[in-house]
Amino acid sequence: MSQALSLEQLRVLPGPLPCRVRQIEPQWIDHNGHLNMAYYNVILDDAVGDLFRPIGFGPDYRKTRNCSTMTAECHVRYLREIKLGDPVQVFIRMLGADEKRMHFFEEMRHATEGWLATTSENISLHIDMSIRRVAPFPPDIAERVRAVVEAHSVLPRPEGAGRSIGLPARSKVA
Amino acid sequence: MSQQLPSLDQLKAQSGPFLCGVMQIEPDWIDYNGHLNMAYYNVVMDRSIDELFAVLGMGPNYLKARNGSTMTAEAHVRYLREVHLGDPLQVTAYVIAADEKRLHTFEELRHATEGWVSATSENMTLHIDMNVRKVAPFPSDIAERIRAVADVHAKLPRPDGLGRNVALPVKARAGAA
């Protein structure tokens, strides 16, 4: 998706937003012969654009409003290896938002076989680029963000959301 | 890293977190916001922690010599301050905990000369038997080296930001429409 959707279209998004299918680049493969952990975020970050453009954070947003978005926090779970030649597709759902933050969850799947390779939970901040500080969304954008949050609020909470990192309790005792 | 590993006694005699080499930002890691793109923090962090793994005995030759490797299971990055092209970066790494097949680490990415923290990354790494590409216990000599470093790092203050989950502030969630 390259253009902003109407508010009505955002309100009736039927499920997690399917991003376009992406291919693995050869230089992203590491000594283990699989997609290196770092480059998952290249794909996941690029895919977020497929959600942000329909909301209104397209290429013109920075120019016309002098605002942008920046990632504050990102938690990736690597569930299954991806190899060169595997087509991948990211699905994104908005978990919540306030006046200046968005909380969203990405699932990266094998594009044709459907299995889950990775999840990524993120907080993104809205930034006023004239002072490079966090700032509230403009009202029209806030309404559009809210429309997506509400459309996605009927979906089941994704498995893995809200996790922190730690050894299993059993291991910590040993 | 050098072929000469520090001895177990040398590992036990360390007094601070593990200091990785200074790294430079590459121009194609800069995005349309004019700063290091969020994805490439993990390139810096992953290359840096390889230096710690090498000291633990899991360096570039480990895969060939013992057919074992490590894979990341989970990574949680907090982006605290922007870095730009020309900012030299240096990672400080902590072994937070370990069991027989997992390593829980924490990294602080700092401006190498000014010292401020740009990002932190908390990780869970698995030891893999590459014959079967499945999780497997560390060999006993490696496990001993990990324990030595974990024991040294256990005496340090816990780094700020450890154990967090990703969430909106409670106040914000309550107020969300």
Side-chain angles (χ1 to χ4, degrees), chain A residues 1-42:
Chain A
M1 282 190 231
S2 57
Q3 296 198 332
L5 294 177
S6 73
L7 192 55
E8 282 315 311
Q9 286 171 313
L10 292 174
R11 283 191 174 129
V12 296
L13 283 179
L17 186 102
C19 303
R20 75 172 165 79
V21 173
R22 287 169 164 84
Q23 303 294 334
I24 310 302
E25 299 186 10
Q27 71 274 18
W28 298 347
I29 301 297
D30 68 14
H31 63 281
N32 284 328
H34 62 191
L35 180 61
N36 178 261
M37 64 84 78
Y39 295 91
Y40 283 76
N41 270 356
V42 175

Side-chain angles (χ1 to χ4, degrees), chain B residues 77-111:
Chain B
V77 178
R78 299 185 309 144
Y79 302 89
L80 303 174
R81 183 165 164 183
E82 297 174 87
V83 284
H84 301 93
L85 192 61
D87 286 339
L89 305 177
Q90 189 165 30
V91 168
T92 306
Y94 301 77
V95 175
I96 300 298
D99 67 9
E100 73 283 2
K101 57 196 175 187
R102 300 179 190 86
L103 199 52
H104 181 186
T105 56
F106 192 88
E107 295 167 82
E108 290 171 342
L109 176 70
R110 294 173 184 276
H111 189 287

Side-chain angles (χ1 to χ4, degrees), chain B residues 24-64:
Chain B
Q24 301 297 333
I25 296 171
E26 299 183 12
D28 54 358
W29 298 350
I30 302 296
D31 67 16
Y32 62 92
N33 282 329
H35 62 192
L36 180 62
N37 177 259
M38 64 84 83
Y40 292 91
Y41 281 76
N42 272 354
V43 176
V44 176
M45 302 270 201
D46 192 44
R47 288 184 189 173
S48 294
I49 204 129
D50 277 350
E51 297 178 28
L52 171 64
F53 288 174
V55 162
L56 293 174
M58 297 179 286
N61 295 326
Y62 186 70
L63 178 60
K64 250 181 285 171

